[in-house]
């Protein structure tokens, strides 16, 4: 079945839209048309301008030139509220929740059902939220505050919020980046239903297979410029990549064979009450160990406890024979450990500081002479890594918060790789990273392992785990439920262990 | 080793004074600056206006500077410095702190400025003359006498003072305690001294506290205009109105309502305008060389008459006035 | 990737027993800690001095708290939006004087109160405009207006003062009379408190203030009219400071150029003790009011049990520290208990 | 132009104007008064700047200074040698800072709340220690150091130790890992923790430093004004904070420079001095301070908006890019 461009008027469209931030031209004359009943994908590398385009559609940014058309009529959105009132629901790339408010209030803020005299009907807010969660198959408590939700749960709340609008246009900026397969499946089910009911959908993801699963049409951006808008039928992933990158792509999971050495990271019976229990495993030099599991299984928590940003209640951690003091990241770093955290905005980066300073934060030992900062050393260390990871930036002194999501992720990687760690824990290292760079990151991790670094990779992207890991650990509800060799690890076996439907493979 | 208090005491103070010429001519065109504890304080405004009239009648220029907070000692010091800089001829200052102004005032005197303190003194060697609003002794004792009269010579009484560091109040309270030692007051018991920091709300709550802690309290003496006013306002709105006596130092304008509605029988105060005028005359006399601040020197202070410099360079205005229903309408300050 | 796995989270979490949920809620309510401290303190004082909770004593306690409760209520609203208003003391002072001047010239009491409220609201609007239009740090702006309003006040007032003699008797009586032990002023404050509390809890715009304080960016994206809400908060805060000014006049019968100076710190203390977080988005006006009651009560308790006023400042500070520390420790304890409960629940499911 | 340089420039302009138009401003005695009276604020501004940059605040500085002065007076009255007393006072500052710091870092309490509490507590303890006394008879050589100046120059003796401390502070904040870490903590405490920065320890040490320098200021205050009283330095915290904010230190943490803060301190000090010499009343001075503060935050904001508007006009004037093709 082909999808020629429908003859009807697009529900929402952009014509010749440009947007600059200072010297950065994020969008240059881009056009895009969203039709009722069609799911449209937006593809492009990190920093290509996808999020900016969405913000122009949603009334967050005012385009410098060009127009936004609603039902064929030019409109001017003066703010997100205008777009919302016009029936446009948006899931932004970074979850934006009210941490102090309950999940239910987060979803219905400003639109709460009301009783007599305009009073908010708290009970029906709660009920409606519970219904939404049921539809999405999420088991969050509507009364729970948003503070402390994992990135994935936050993303789910955002999705619920967008669905609650019953919008004519649903825009989703990488909603699946933090989700595992099952949640993605649920989400797609719901979105398909909406589309069939006549909603227009705009969808961004760096997981190309998702684009092919969900969408009928794709628009590609490169460096802020429009490249193509076309039906997905008849297109291959390679075609799409070529449109995005302008060249063919290296192998996505370039796994090098390495010789594993001595145990570099040893975790014994680690327990943090209420979060994870009795977790033991080893990672050897030269080995990439994958840590898989469903959202909320407690993988990130284990990583944080190992690194020392969280305390643990029992057990011990050894790095290269040195026993780590609980709750002391600086000592862990000194012992050769590095952690690339999952939440780059809150944990990975100081958003208001420059790229240079952010990378520099982990390297004081290398960049001080006689107790004073050596600016030159600091600068060259940062440039070195920013270039190696192909961070797309105008100046090294730019505030990191102005980078695109994927480039921010690269800065986090740079910051930690620059410490030359012996043991590297990466938590969702490629979340929000485009295919090109993803391959780059994978090659890098492989090379590091080949050099004898022990790598523990937490990822919700199952193909990534299967493609990269020498060994796969699976967590289920705070416990290790399986340890699988590369040969044993398949999608089925990992999912089975992750959902607790397993007896195969024993906990380490 | 090291430097201790005893070593420092040995160094001793310096007192420099020239010779007075009682018949010297009164100089004109002087600049006399008034530096009250606090500008915008009605009491000081009245006093300084008295000073202004006197200065102008003597053919000199008057000015007033000061801080808007009554406890901003650093501010007061810098005002002294500024006046020294501006080469004022004489300063009349009401000191927020007896010690803190010393360095600055000595520097002023070294630069030829005549320094008079009024209302509230510094250490004796930091100024030439202190113009006292009535002798401290008179003030302390008369307040006890007034209170004794009102409560019929027996019962528990308390004092509601200003800040714990307020020099004036502390001196007066010492004299009150001394007066209470006399046999005729053997039935009067001073149960507590509370401090309201010259803050209306604090004084208010301290009054409540006094009455709760000492339910048998017969009277309160509040030797501060802010304190007596706050205490009166509380009493007026409580069940204690008219039952618990209140006296102390207050201005007629502040207290008029409470005297008329029976909350307060009588209280006392000197006339602040006269205090200011006397300070002005003293300052000009000093600058003219008619006095130097030595005990026994005499000078004329216009309508106020002749005054004699007492011990430690203190000049006293005289006895305080007692205000009650009968005479309060004769005063407006 | 082909998704074959069935949805995982089908087994719903067992609904926690309603009783336990209630207990959790009660434990989480920060207001409760303050209320408990307050009750213990008042009880203990009553034991050592039976006059303390006499009719007059209770009346005094309520009267003392009234003005602070009003200002703290307004301040809490502003703090909930992640801002602060340091100018409340100055606004209180100038409104009180304005009302006093009007009454002195023979005006009616009601109009005087309205005048004070209006003047306060005006300064609130000024603060709100500066903060919301300029999108500048509230702390600096309102520290600035604190000085400016105080300066204008002292220039205008000069050495004048309003004394009880200048005020109509009805107005002064209103300042201390009441129904049995409950003074009119306290009733007024209570009504205002309840209204503001209800508004914040039950109206969209009220909820939006919490949202705004919790995350300003998210609020913008959610279409909350940020400027308007900040403006409302400041105007409300200013108006309440103005009202408090009028009541101050009635209560103390005395206003001069220093009235209300330094009050901002007391107000901020009350709000903090009452559990309204300075990072915005949490806490309630009831908490702030309890905080205000606690603070003013400490000032009545200490003199009543005969603590020398020399000790009052120190004890005040230490009690303030204790109040926030105990509250915090309790909160941490409760969080730990909840975490363990969650763990048990999870392992029960796991087994 | 960055705001801190703007404040510096403003200070310069003010100095030039005052020298040319204000009688008596330029003479050495007045300048020494100006500097001497501003020093307490400047001293505390050093650690306060760092503390605010790291996202915390200490309102108890004035009370710590008062307590230090009160203890100094009480011990002096008790006959102890001043050479012993001063170290004891500094030690007391350490304790005061530790109490603040531990409550903030160990219990996780907001520093604003904690230090409002300790502000009252320290002041109260000072009152208990010294009561209504006012101690003035410190040894002359010390008083001279506190209040005197070198010969007939404008330089107070106390300026030298301050300059040394200022130099140390500038280096620490702007050229060491510690300084870098403070900025990071202020901008995002969590990210700093994840970067291996010892957040709690650094914060604690900042509170301690603030305590020590406040105590030192208390000692200096007692000597400078030749008076140790329990209410010394009341309200100093607001002056310091006003000056530091004026100097462009962001109260949300993570932004600012020491140069800006010190320029802010001396801008307010000079302005007050000049206005007093010009016989501007205290009330009007308060208004001026307030207006300056408001401008200090509105100014950069308006400047930025003007710049943006101009940039927008420039892009608008440029030829529009070609319309994109569509399929
Ligand atoms: N607020 C801003 N200020 C300055 N530059 C910005 C801002 N927002 C985006 N940019 C720049 O605009 C360009 C496009 O960014 P955008 O976020 O749209 O990319 P993206 O396609 O969404 O990338 P990713 O896949 O990594 O999310 C980038 O170069 C980015 O640095
Ligand atoms: N910062 C936090 N504070 C408190 N609780 C948290 C925090 N982050 C996560 N949690 C909770 O801890 C549990 C497990 O965390 P998390 O979801 O991060 O595990 P995970 O296996 O790493 O999943 P993912 O990385 O896919 O999000 C969840 O119930 C989550 O709500
Ligand atoms: Mg993006
Ligand atoms: Mg995770």
């Amino acid at each position: 079945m082909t999808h020629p461009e429908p003859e009807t008027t697009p529900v929402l469209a952009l014509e010749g839209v440009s947007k600059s931030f200072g010297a950065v031209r994020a969008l240059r004359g881009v056009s895009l048309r969203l039709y009722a009943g069609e799911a449209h994908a937006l593809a492009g590398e990190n920093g290509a301008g996808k999020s900016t385009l969405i913000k122009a559609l949603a009334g967050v940014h005012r385009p410098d030139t060009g127009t936004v058309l609603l039902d064929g009529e030019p409109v001017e959105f003066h703010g997100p509220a205008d777009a919302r009132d016009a029936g446009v629901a948006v899931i932004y790339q970074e979850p934006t929740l009210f941490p102090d408010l309950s999940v239910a209030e987060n979803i219905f803020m400003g639109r709460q059902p009301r009783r007599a005299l305009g009073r908010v009907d708290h009970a029906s807010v709660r009920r409606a939220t519970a219904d939404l969660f049921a539809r999405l198959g999420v088991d969050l408590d509507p009364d729970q505050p948003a503070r402390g939700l994992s990135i994935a749960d936050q993303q789910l709340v955002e999705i619920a919020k967008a669905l609650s609008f019953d919008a004519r246009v649903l825009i989703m900026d990488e909603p699946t980046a933090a989700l595992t397969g099952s949640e993605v499946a649920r989400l797609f089910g719901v979105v398909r239903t909406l589309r069939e009911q006549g909603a227009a959908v705009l969808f961004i993801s760096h997981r190309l297979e998702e684009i092919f699963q969900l969408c009928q049409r794709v628009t590609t951006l490169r460096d802020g410029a429009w490249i193509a808008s076309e039906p997905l039928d008849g297109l291959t992933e390679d075609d799409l990549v070529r449109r995005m990158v302008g060249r063919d792509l290296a192998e996505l999971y370039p796994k090098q064979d390495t010789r594993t050495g001595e145990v570099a990271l040893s975790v014994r019976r680690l327990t943090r009450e209420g979060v994870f229990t009795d977790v033991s495993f080893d990672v050897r030099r030269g080995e990439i160990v994958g840590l898989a599991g469903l959202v909320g299984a407690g993988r990130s928590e284990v990583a944080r406890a190992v690194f020392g940003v969280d305390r643990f209640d029992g057990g011990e951690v050894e790095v290269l024979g040195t026993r780590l003091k609980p709750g002391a990241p600086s000592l862990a770093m000194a012992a050769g450990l590095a952690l690339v955290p999952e939440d780059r905005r809150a944990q990975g980066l100081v958003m208001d500081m420059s790229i240079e300073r952010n990378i520099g934060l982990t390297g004081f030992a290398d960049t001080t002479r006689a107790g004073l900062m050596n600016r030159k050393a600091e600068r060259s260390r940062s440039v070195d890594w920013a270039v190696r990871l192909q961070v797309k930036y105008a100046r090294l002194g730019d505030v990191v918060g102005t980078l695109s999501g994927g480039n921010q992720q690269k800065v986090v990687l740079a910051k930690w790789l620059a410490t030359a760690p012996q043991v590297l824990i990466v938590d969702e290292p490629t979340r929000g990273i485009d295919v090109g760079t993803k391959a780059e990151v994978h090659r890098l991790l492989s090379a590091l392992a080949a050099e004898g670094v022990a790598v523990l990779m937490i990822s919700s992207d199952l193909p990534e785990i299967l493609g990269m890991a020498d060994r796969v650990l699976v967590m289920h509800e705070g416990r290790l439920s399986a340890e699988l060799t590369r040969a044993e690890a398949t999608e089925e076996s990992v999912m089975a262990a992750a959902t607790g439907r397993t007896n195969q493979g024993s906990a380490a | 080793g090291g430097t201790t208090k005893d070593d420092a005491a040995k160094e001793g103070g310096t007192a420099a004074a020239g010779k007075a010429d009682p018949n010297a001519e009164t100089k004109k065109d002087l600049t006399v600056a008034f530096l009250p504890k606090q500008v915008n304080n009605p009491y000081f405004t009245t006093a300084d206006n008295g000073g202004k009239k006197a200065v102008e009648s003597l053919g000199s220029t008057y000015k007033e500077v000061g801080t808007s907070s009554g406890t901003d000692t650093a501010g007061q010091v810098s005002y002294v410095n500024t006046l020294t800089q501006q080469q004022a001829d004489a300063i009349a200052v009401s000191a927020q702190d007896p010690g803190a102004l010393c360095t600055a005032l000595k520097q002023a005197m070294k630069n030829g400025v005549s320094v008079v303190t009024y209302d509230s003194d510094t250490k004796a060697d930091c100024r030439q003359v202190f113009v006292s609003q009535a002798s401290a002794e008179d003030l302390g004792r008369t307040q006890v006498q007034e209170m004794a009269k009102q409560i019929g010579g027996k019962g528990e009484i308390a004092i509601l003072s200003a800040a714990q560091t307020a020099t004036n109040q502390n001196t007066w309270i010492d004299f009150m305690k001394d007066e209470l030692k006399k046999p005729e007051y053997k039935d009067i018991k001073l149960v507590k001294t509370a401090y309201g920091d010259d803050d209306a709300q604090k004084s208010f709550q301290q009054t409540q506290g006094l009455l709760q802690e000492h339910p048998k309290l017969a009277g309160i003496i509040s030797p501060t205009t802010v304190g007596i006013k706050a205490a009166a306002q509380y009493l007026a709105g409580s069940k204690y109105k008219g039952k618990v006596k209140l006296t102390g130092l207050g201005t007629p304008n502040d207290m008029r309502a409470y005297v008329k509605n029976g909350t307060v029988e009588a209280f006392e105060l000197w006339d602040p305008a006269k205090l200011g005028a006397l300070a002005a005359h003293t300052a000009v006399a000093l600058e003219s060389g008619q006095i130097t601040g030595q005990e026994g020197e005499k000078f004329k202070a216009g309508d106020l008459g002749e005054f004699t410099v007492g011990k430690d360079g203190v000049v006293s205005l005289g006895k305080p006035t007692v205000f009650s229903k009968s005479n309060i309408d004769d005063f407006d300050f | 990737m082909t998704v074959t796995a069935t949805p995982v989270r089908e087994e719903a979490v067992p609904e926690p027993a309603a009783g336990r949920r209630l207990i959790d809620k009660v434990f989480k309510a920060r207001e409760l800690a303050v209320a408990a401290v307050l009750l213990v303190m008042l009880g203990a004082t009553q034991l050592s001095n039976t006059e303390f909770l006499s009719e007059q004593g209770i009346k005094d306690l309520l009267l003392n708290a009234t003005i602070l409760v009003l200002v703290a209520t307004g301040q809490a609203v502003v703090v909930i939006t992640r801002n602060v208003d340091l100018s409340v003391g100055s606004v209180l002072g100038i409104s009180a004087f304005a009302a006093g001047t009007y009454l002195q010239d023979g005006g009616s009491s009601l109009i005087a109160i309205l005048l004070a409220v209006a003047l306060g609201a005006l300064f609130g609007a000024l603060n709100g405009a500066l903060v919301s239009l300029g999108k500048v740090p509230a702390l600096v702006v309102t520290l600035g207006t604190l000085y400016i309003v105080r300066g204008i006040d002292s220039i205008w007032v000069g050495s004048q003062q309003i004394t009880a003699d200048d005020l109509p008797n009805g107005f002064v009586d209103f300042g201390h009379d009441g129904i049995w032990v409950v003074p009119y002023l306290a009733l007024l404050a209570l009504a205002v408190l309840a209204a503001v509390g209800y508004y914040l809890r039950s109206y969209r715009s009220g909820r939006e203030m919490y949202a705004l304080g919790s995350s300003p960016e998210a609020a913008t994206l959610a279409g909350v009219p940020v400027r308007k809400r900040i403006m409302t908060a400041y105007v409300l805060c200013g108006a309440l400071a103005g009202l408090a000014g009028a009541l101050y006049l009635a209560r103390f019968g005395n206003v001069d150029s220093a009235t209300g100076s330094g009050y901002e710190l007391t107000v901020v203390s009350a709000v903090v003790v009452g559990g309204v977080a300075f990072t915005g988005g949490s806490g309630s006006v009831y908490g702030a009011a309890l905080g205000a009651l606690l603070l003013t009560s400490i000032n009545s308790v200490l003199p009543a049990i005969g603590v020398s006023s020399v000790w009052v400042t120190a004890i005040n500070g230490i009690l303030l520290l204790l109040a926030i520390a105990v509250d915090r420790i309790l909160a941490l304890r409760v969080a730990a208990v909840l975490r363990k409960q969650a763990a048990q629940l999870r392992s029960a499911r796991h087994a | 132009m960055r705001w801190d340089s703007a404040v510096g420039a403003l200070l310069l302009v003010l100095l030039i104007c005052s020298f040319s138009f204000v009688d008596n401003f330029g003479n050495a005695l007045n300048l020494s008064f100006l500097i001497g009276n501003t020093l307490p604020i400047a001293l505390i501004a050093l650690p306060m700047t760092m503390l605010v940059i790291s996202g915390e605040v200490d309102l108890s500085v004035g009370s710590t200074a008062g307590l230090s002065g009160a203890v100094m007076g009480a011990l002096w009255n008790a006959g102890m040698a001043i050479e012993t007393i001063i170290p004891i006072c500094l030690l007391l500052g350490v304790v005061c800072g530790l109490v603040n710091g531990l409550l903030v870092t160990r219990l996780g309490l907001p520093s604003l709340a904690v230090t409002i509490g300790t502000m009252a507590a320290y002041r109260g303890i000072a009152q208990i220690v010294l009561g209504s006394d006012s101690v003035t008879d410190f040894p002359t050589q010390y008083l001279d150091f506190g209040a005197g100046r070198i010969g007939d120059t404008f330089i107070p003796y106390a300026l030298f130790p301050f300059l040394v401390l200022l130099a140390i502070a500038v280096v620490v904040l702007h050229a060491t890992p510690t300084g870098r870490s403070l900025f990071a903590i202020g901008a995002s405490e969590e990210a700093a923790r994840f970067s291996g920065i010892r957040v709690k320890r650094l914060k604690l040490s900042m509170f301690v430093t603030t305590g020590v320098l406040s105590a030192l200021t208390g000692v200096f205050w007692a000597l400078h004004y030749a008076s140790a009283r329990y209410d010394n330095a009341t309200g100093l915290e607001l002056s310091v904070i006003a000056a530091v904010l004026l100097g462009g230190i962001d109260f949300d943490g993570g932004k600012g420079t020491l140069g800006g803060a010190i320029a802010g301190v001396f801008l307010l000090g000079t302005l007050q001095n000049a206005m007093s010499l010009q016989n501007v009343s205290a009330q009007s001075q308060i208004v001026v301070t307030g207006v300056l503060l408001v401008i200090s935050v509105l100014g950069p904001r308006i400047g930025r908006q003007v710049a943006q508007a101009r940039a927008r006009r420039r892009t608008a004037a440029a030829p529009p890019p070609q319309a994109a093709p569509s399929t």
Side-chain angles (χ1 to χ4, degrees), chain D residues 16-74:
Chain D
I16 294 171
C17 290
S18 306
F19 271 109
S20 355
F21 303 120
V22 179
D23 286 346
N24 298 315
F25 179 83
N27 75 48
L29 186 61
N30 182 58
L31 289 178
S32 77
F33 286 155
L34 193 174
I35 297 173
N37 292 340
T38 313
L39 271 182
I41 298 176
L43 260 175
I44 296 185
L46 299 179
M48 185 71 90
T49 302
M50 299 201 210
L51 206 54
V52 172
I53 282 177
S54 75
E56 304 288 343
V57 68
D58 186 348
L59 294 180
S60 73
V61 287
S63 296
T64 306
L67 177 57
S68 153
V71 166
M72 182 173 162

Side-chain angles (χ1 to χ4, degrees), chain D:
Chain D
M1 183 159 52
R2 287 198 349 227
W3 181 250
D4 51 350
S5 358
V7 174
L10 208 62
L11 174 60
L12 214 66
V13 171
L14 180 65
L15 281 174
I16 294 171
C17 290
S18 306
F19 271 109
S20 355
F21 303 120
V22 179
D23 286 346
N24 298 315
F25 179 83
N27 75 48
L29 186 61
N30 182 58
L31 289 178
S32 77
F33 286 155
L34 193 174
I35 297 173
N37 292 340
T38 313
L39 271 182
I41 298 176
L43 260 175
I44 296 185
L46 299 179
M48 185 71 90
T49 302
M50 299 201 210
L51 206 54
V52 172
I53 282 177
S54 75
E56 304 288 343
V57 68
D58 186 348
L59 294 180
S60 73
V61 287
S63 296
T64 306
L67 177 57
S68 153
V71 166
M72 182 173 162
L75 292 181
W76 175 253
N77 272 349
M80 198 182 268
I82 189 118
E83 289 81 1
T84 325
I85 295 176
I86 292 179
I88 291 180
C89 286
L90 297 186
L91 212 64
L92 186 74
V94 172
V95 175
C96 290
L98 266 180
V99 171
N100 286 334
L102 288 175
L103 284 171
V104 171
T105 59
R106 296 298 136 183
L107 278 187
L109 294 169
S111 55
L112 194 75
V114 166
T115 57
I116 284 179
T118 51
M119 175 164 79
Y122 296 162
R123 182 69 67 191
I125 296 171
Q127 195 173 356
I128 294 166
V129 167
L130 195 59
S132 58
D133 260 0
S134 161
V135 183
T136 56
D137 54 351
F138 296 112
T140 14
Q141 66 269 34
Y142 281 85
L143 293 178
D144 285 348
F145 175 81
R149 52 187 174 134
I150 301 175
D152 272 340
T153 64
F154 68 90
I155 305 170
Y157 295 115
L159 185 61
F160 288 106
F162 168 74
L163 288 179
V164 172
L165 288 173
L166 173 63
I168 295 175
V170 168
V171 169
V172 168
L173 184 62
H174 295 296
T176 65
T178 308
R180 284 290 150 81
S181 307
L182 289 177
F183 278 100
I185 293 172
S188 167
E189 181 168 335
E190 198 180 0
R193 208 157 48 90
F194 271 87
S195 303
I197 292 171
R198 301 166 122 180
V199 174
K200 290 186 177 175
R201 234 173 71 157
L202 254 181
K203 278 194 174 173
L204 186 62
S205 63
M206 283 328 299
F207 275 106
V208 170
T209 314
T210 311
V212 173
L213 281 187
S214 304
L216 183 67
T217 306
V219 170
F220 172 69
W221 187 288
L223 295 177
H224 184 72
Y225 295 117
S227 166
R229 301 200 322 183
Y230 82 84
D231 62 354
N232 270 6
T234 300
L236 191 64
E237 57 283 339
L238 268 195
S239 308
V240 173
I241 286 171
V244 163
L245 291 178
L246 180 62
I249 310 297
D250 190 334
F251 227 82
D252 292 337
K255 287 195 199 85
T257 63
L258 252 178
I262 295 301
V265 170
F266 280 95
L267 183 64
L268 282 185
T270 309
L271 200 64
Q272 258 156 30
N273 181 284
M275 287 195 294
S276 298
L277 285 175
Q278 292 292 72
N279 295 323
V280 177
S281 73
Q283 300 94 298
S284 313
Q285 293 191 17
I286 299 180
V287 178
V288 171
T289 308
V291 169
L292 212 61
L293 267 175
V294 172
I295 292 177
S296 84
V297 286
L298 280 183
R301 168 91 200 160
I302 291 168
R304 225 175 307 137
Q305 270 173 353
V306 168
Q308 271 170 13
R310 218 184 290 149
R312 218 172 299 136
R313 228 171 298 134
R314 228 178 301 137
T315 36
Q322 288 173 338
S326 58
T327 34

Side-chain angles (χ1 to χ4, degrees), chain A residues 60 80-81 84 92 96-101 105 109-112 114 117-120 122 137 139 141 143 153 181-182 185-186 209 213 272-275 294-296 313 345 463 476-479 491 495 499, chain C residues 1-13 16 21 25 28 198 201-204 207-208 210-215 217-224 279-282 339-340 342-343 346-347 349-350:
Chain A
V60 177
R84 188 188 68 191
Y92 296 98
T96 46
L97 298 180
F98 307 114
D100 302 288
L101 302 187
E105 281 217 272
M109 180 51 65
R111 309 176 288 122
Q112 297 94 332
R114 289 190 283 196
L117 301 174
R119 290 166 305 157
V120 168
H122 291 287
D139 75 349
D141 176 1
D143 284 332
D153 286 338
S182 48
R186 273 280 184 145
E209 73 276 5
Q213 272 174 40
R272 178 171 159 83
E273 277 172 33
V275 184
L294 297 174
V295 163
D313 299 322
R345 282 163 61 87
H476 170 63
E477 296 196 335
R479 291 167 190 271
E491 229 165 72
M495 282 316 282
T499 51
Chain C
M1 145 180 175
T2 44
V3 183
T4 48
T6 44
V8 225
R9 296 186 171 192
E10 75 260 72
E11 82 264 52
V13 194
R21 199 180 251 191
K25 260 200 184 136
K28 276 189 213 153
Y198 192 75
R201 168 148 175 74
S202 295
Y203 284 83
R204 279 187 187 170
R207 298 315 300 164
E208 283 175 354
Y210 277 93
L212 166 58
S214 191
S215 166
E217 301 147 45
T220 319
L221 290 179
V224 172
T279 42
S282 68
R339 192 152 63 94
K340 292 210 173 121
R346 179 183 287 202
S347 54
R349 215 160 35 159
H350 191 76

Side-chain angles (χ1 to χ4, degrees), chain B residues 212 234 237-240, chain C residues 52 54-61:
Chain B
Q212 284 181 345
Y234 176 69
S238 76
K239 64 176 184 188
Y240 307 107
Chain C
F52 185 64
S54 65
E55 199 169 306
Q56 180 73 38
I58 294 177
K59 204 170 144 189
D60 287 344
L61 274 180

Side-chain angles (χ1 to χ4, degrees), chain B residues 242-297:
Chain B
K243 296 189 190 119
V244 174
K245 303 296 178 187
L246 175 67
T247 189
L249 304 179
T251 71
N253 284 353
D254 281 356
M255 302 302 291
R256 204 177 317 272
Y258 309 114
V259 169
K260 290 196 172 160
N261 74 15
T263 312
V264 175
E265 270 176 39
F267 60 96
E268 59 186 35
L269 199 70
W270 54 91
D271 183 343
K274 284 188 184 160
L275 179 67
L278 181 57
H281 281 290
T282 313
V284 172
L286 269 174
E287 185 62 21
S288 305
Q290 294 158 351
I291 53 170
T292 60
Q294 300 300 311
E295 187 168 353
E297 292 171 348

Side-chain angles (χ1 to χ4, degrees), chain B residues 88-105:
Chain B
D89 296 297
I91 303 179
V93 53
S94 172
Q96 289 180 3
D97 178 298
L101 290 170
C102 274
T103 321
L105 287 177

